[in-house]
Every structure is written in C-alpha cells, then in structure tokens.
Amino acid sequence: MSQNKTRKPTNAQWGGRFTSGPSEVMERINASIGFDQRFFAQDIAGSRAHAQMLVAQGILSSEDGQAIENGLDTILADIEAGTFKFKVELEDIHMNIESKLRELIGDAAGRLHTARSRNDQVATDFRLWVRDEIDSLGKQLVGLQAVLIDKAEAHADTVMPGFTHLQTAQPVTFGHHLLAYVEMFGRDRGRFSDTRTRLNESPLGAGALAGTSFPIDRTATASHLGFDRPMANSLDAVSDRDFALEFLSAAAICTTHISRFSEELVAWCSDGFRFISLSDAYTTGSSMMPQKRNPDAAELSRGKTGRVYGALIGLLTVMKGLPLAYSKDMQEDKEPVFDAADSLALALAAITGMVGDMQAEPENMHAAAGKGHSTATDLADWLVRAAGVPFRDAHAITGTIVALAEEKGVTLTELSLGDMQGVDKRISADVYNVLSVEASVASRTSLGGTAPINVRAAAAEARARFLVPEGIE
Ligand code: ARG
C-alpha cells in the first residue's frame, strides 16, 4: 500500500487494466527509447503508410487521416530539429510519437493504432532501418573498391613479395594484392544485397501476432514503404529477426576482410617491412617516444571486428530459445545491430581514407621481393620448360641449388652458371632470364595471375564490373 503511493500513474497507452504504474526498475528495464529513437523516421513513415491505407479502406475518416499527417509532419520536424522531448515513461519510440500526436491532434491520434500493434510496427521499423543501412554501407563499399582499384592501377608494375605462412613465397605485384581485396569487398556487397532482397517484405498488418479483423490492405502499405510484398505469415512477421542476423553475419564477414587488410597495413608500415607509409592524417604519436608514428586507425579498424562478432553472437543467443511469437527479449535486438552498423561504417571510412592516403615504398617492396629465393619456382619451371625435366625432379634440383646459394650467402641470380651446372648440367645461361623478380611476375599471365599486363586488365575489368553499373557519387 505505502509503496503504491510512490508509484506513478498507469501507462496511458496500455494501462487500462492496471491500477498503478511500474516500479522504477521496471521502467528502466522496460524502456528502449534511449536507443530505438533512431527509428523515428522509419516509425513515422510506417505510420503514414498505415494511416493512408486506413483512410483508403474506409476504416479512418479522411479528416482524421489529414490530422494524423499534419501531426506527424510536426513531430518529424521537431525530432529532426532536436526539440522533441523523449520520455522514458513512454517506453519506446512508438509510444513517444503516438503520445505526442495525441497532444497535438487529440482523439484522431488514438485511431492511428487501429489494426496495428507495436509488434508489427517495430518489426517494420527495424526492417526499414536495416534496409537503409545496407544501402549506405553498399555505397561505402563501392567507394572503398574505387580507391583500391585506383591504387592497384597505379601499382600494376610494383613488385612486392607474396607470402604464404608469412614466409616469402613468390613475387607478386602490389596492384594484384590490392585487387584481391576488391574481390572480397565485392562479395561483401553481394551478401548485403542478398540480405536486402530477403528482408524486403512488409510485416505491417500482422498485428500483435494473429492478423486483424479490420479490412486492411497489406499490399498497399507494403508498396507505400518500398517493400516487395507483405510477409505471408503474421506469426513469422512479428517474431523473426533473421534479417538482422543476416545483416550481422554479412557485417561480420565484411569486418573480417577489413581486419585482415588492417593487419597488413599495420605490418606494412612497421620497420620490418616499410612497404608503405601513412601520413599524419591517419597516424598518431606517442606521448613518451617522440620518434613514433602509430597506425592507430588501422589498429582500430581491426579492433572493431570484436564488436561486430559480439553483436552477431549476442543476437543469435537472444533469439535461440524464444517461442513464437513476440517476446520482450526481442527488444534486445536493436543495440547490437546499431553498434555493429556504426562500427562497420566507421571502419570502412577509415580504411577507405587510409588506402587513399598511403604512399607505397616500391624500392623496399622490391628489395624484400628478391629475398628468400622467391624465384626458386621460376627456376624449377624453367627446368621443366627448357630441359624437359619432370616437375618433381626439377623441384628437387632447385632445392639443391637453393641450399648451395644459402651456403654461399648469395641470391639465386648471384649464383654462377658453373655452380648451377655443378648441380645439373642441363642448366644453361638462359636461366638468368627467369630469375629476376620482374621476369617472375611478368611470366604469371595465367587467368587471375599477377603479371602486370593482367593486373592492368583486371583493374579495368573490376572497374566495369563493380563501379560502372552503380556509379559513384
Ligand atoms: N519496444 C518494443 C521492442 O523494441 C516494441 C514492441 C513492444 N511490444 C510489446 N508487446 N510490448 O521490441
């Protein structure tokens, strides 16, 4: 009793059967307005679609419809101007907007919620929000591909070491290496756009879970909101969040690519490599060591990956045990998606900036490319081609020659013909033509190979495949 005195009044939207308001902790655990206010534009768009459909179906008078439209205009302008006061006691964005609408236009506001529930409303808002995010991330990915292709073209001839196991393997070109990422980010775009295709169905009109007895037109609201069609099953419409999980899965894979590239940027500007340098714009200094230039933006782009993976695992875990249809657990679906989308957008912006900013150091790359007997495969291939030696034997002969070079402390090109012939007398002076790193990369003309001529063609082809249809703004 005494507790009830300190309690708030019941909620105006759903408190009909309640005699007192929620406890302070109930209010806090229940409220989502702190984060779902990000849905304001989608929520208003959904309400407009719903109201117009209600009028068209004769469920709402056109005067009420007009009043709702005008009220929503005012609310949208207020929120955009930052003058709207969000209230925690009104729980979420849906009730904050509806309650304000009632203040503005009176009873007509209460008619807006005819044949609608917050369950189909929030599912609609969320799909619209993720759809917008996919479109904006898609544009960012195109921008990233564009700068990568530009750099790749500029460095079609720049030789660098290619690694396996992070051991020097065979020379490649820097352009070829960058184009590898263009392909990865292209598939990321594909995953996001597949997600978009599947999510683009409208939950609106599913009601709380079972549909409605009002003669609504779900096809009309779906097309008003740019959805391809209404979702077929009302229970599915309000209760699944697989679109958010797909979005997070695509985001997780994309951040994996960003993270691997970031790791390479970090390595490439370290003293052990010095393949690139980053300017003041993307590095920071140390408060103690005056000589330092740290690639923090690359490290943070790599570090953001943890948040995105966490979001995916978090939401999978929230969803895994829920019976149909809606449970309030599902209010926990939004923050991970917001955080993942923000983290990914920021990492993409940082990576795009760094690709444009980085200066390659071709001399250092070239010197590193020649180390570690990186053209040993070219020697073996030469034995196959010029002397008809089976590849397995050629591999063994080359191994002996590499051991000899190592013993003498020289590179393969520095080894004398006499020394090589001492290992196998079929070797002639022609062999030196294939032992330079330039000759090595130039010879890799197979489809998808690293030869500069291929890289130039691949860059042009990538430009046409990835950039032209979409256009870059
Ligand atoms: N704020 C809620 C959410 O984000 C909206 C849906 C509330 N539905 C309900 N039945 N209480 O999930």
Side-chain angles (χ1 to χ4, degrees):
M1 279 297 268
S2 61
Q3 262 195 352
N4 276 353
K5 274 191 217 144
T6 59
R7 292 233 181 127
K8 304 197 171 187
T10 61
N11 186 298
Q13 258 106 357
W14 49 251
R17 61 157 296 180
F18 287 68
T19 47
S20 71
S23 69
E24 183 272 333
V25 71
M26 178 64 206
E27 196 168 274
R28 267 197 299 139
I29 199 170
N30 207 28
S32 54
I33 189 61
F35 46 89
D36 69 12
Q37 53 184 270
R38 284 183 77 160
F39 285 164
F40 75 89
Q42 291 78 12
D43 200 71
I44 289 172
S47 286
R48 288 191 205 281
H50 185 66
Q52 285 172 27
M53 179 279 292
L54 291 178
V55 171
Q57 295 300 105
I59 303 167
L60 191 71
S61 72
S62 43
E63 297 74 49
D64 283 349
Q66 195 53 55
I68 288 168
E69 277 291 335
N70 298 344
L72 291 173
D73 285 344
T74 307
I75 292 170
L76 182 63
D78 277 3
I79 298 178
E80 279 172 346
T83 51
F84 190 94
K85 251 189 79 58
F86 293 106
K87 296 182 184 154
V88 179
E89 60 274 24
L90 292 170
E91 286 182 36
D92 56 25
I93 186 66
H94 325 294
M95 298 209 294
N96 268 270
I97 289 177
E98 194 186 317
S99 155
K100 182 71 187 176
L101 194 60
R102 188 174 276 271
E103 261 173 60
L104 292 172
I105 67 168
D107 275 356
R111 299 208 172 90
L112 171 61
H113 214 53
T114 312
R116 186 177 74 169
S117 154
R118 279 187 293 155
N119 294 352
D120 56 342
Q121 202 178 349
V122 73
T124 304
D125 291 3
F126 202 8
R127 278 175 190 259
L128 290 173
W129 191 90
V130 173
R131 192 176 74 184
D132 287 348
E133 205 59 30
I134 286 174
D135 292 345
S136 123
L137 289 167
K139 284 197 183 119
Q140 279 194 282
L141 281 163
V142 173
L144 173 54
Q145 288 181 302
V147 289
L148 283 167
I149 293 170
D150 286 348
K151 274 278 151 129
E153 235 158 22
H155 289 286
D157 298 279
T158 305
V159 178
M160 70 179 278
F163 301 98
T164 60
H165 314 269
L166 200 56
Q167 307 289 313
T168 305
Q170 293 175 345
V172 295
T173 61
F174 190 40
H176 194 54
H177 195 114
L178 297 176
L179 287 180
Y181 283 101
V182 170
E183 296 298 323
M184 294 178 229
F185 292 123
R187 288 191 296 276
D188 287 325
R189 282 173 59 192
R191 272 179 281 274
F192 281 120
S193 92
D194 290 348
T195 302
R196 192 191 198 286
T197 303
R198 262 185 299 280
L199 80 65
N200 204 32
E201 294 187 343
S202 174
L204 197 58
L209 74 166
T212 173
S213 57
F214 289 95
I216 59 169
D217 182 353
R218 293 191 59 207
T219 305
T221 48
S223 86
H224 183 131
L225 294 168
F227 287 118
D228 296 327
R229 64 192 75 82
M231 291 182 76
N233 181 294
S234 64
L235 291 167
D236 175 44
V238 295
S239 69
D240 207 352
R241 293 294 182 266
D242 58 357
F243 67 92
L245 292 169
E246 270 193 69
F247 173 75
L248 290 175
S249 308
I253 297 172
C254 183
T255 42
T256 307
H257 293 148
I258 291 175
S259 188
R260 294 184 73 178
F261 189 49
S262 301
E263 165 61 17
E264 297 202 308
L265 294 178
V266 170
W268 290 344
C269 50
S270 73
D271 279 324
F273 287 78
R274 286 277 167 247
F275 286 1
I276 60 162
S277 57
L278 290 167
S279 79
D280 296 359
Y282 288 94
T283 50
T284 64
S286 152
S287 55
M288 183 173 185
M289 299 168 282
Q291 85 285 9
K292 290 277 271 181
R293 176 187 287 288
N294 298 324
D296 293 31
E299 294 165 64
L300 286 161
S301 301
R302 187 178 57 189
K304 295 281 180 202
T305 310
R307 305 169 76 117
V308 180
Y309 292 0
L312 172 61
I313 298 300
L315 185 54
L316 282 166
T317 311
V318 166
M319 295 306 297
K320 73 172 275 292
L322 299 184
L324 302 190
Y326 179 88
S327 297
K328 199 61 174 264
D329 311 47
M330 286 160 67
Q331 186 163 281
E332 294 294 321
D333 59 3
K334 295 163 205 55
E335 286 169 291
V337 173
F338 293 157
D339 188 65
D342 292 345
S343 301
L344 178 53
L346 189 53
L348 280 171
I351 287 289
T352 307
M354 281 185 281
V355 173
D357 180 77
M358 70 182 177
Q359 285 297 321
E361 307 284 357
E363 281 178 16
N364 296 344
M365 291 188 190
H366 190 274
K371 286 186 190 154
H373 311 296
S374 65
T375 56
T377 316
D378 298 274
L379 172 52
D381 287 350
W382 183 87
L383 282 163
V384 171
R385 253 195 319 267
V389 180
F391 182 77
R392 282 287 162 227
D393 299 345
H395 185 283
I397 294 164
T398 306
T400 310
I401 293 174
V402 165
L404 185 63
E406 214 127 76
E407 196 183 300
K408 298 201 160 203
V410 296
T411 65
L412 285 179
T413 31
E414 288 162 358
L415 207 58
S416 75
L417 185 59
D419 280 339
M420 291 212 219
Q421 286 173 335
V423 178
D424 193 296
K425 36 185 195 329
R426 287 170 290 189
I427 298 176
S428 68
D430 292 355
V431 77
Y432 290 101
N433 295 334
V434 304
L435 292 182
S436 73
V437 292
E438 284 78 13
S440 174
V441 294
S443 73
R444 300 279 191 276
T445 52
S446 58
L447 197 152
T450 195
I453 189 174
N454 284 32
V455 173
R456 262 185 285 278
E461 187 278 328
R463 202 180 286 289
R465 180 158 46 106
F466 291 122
L467 308 185
V468 174
E470 246 75 11
I472 313 163
E473 276 145 46

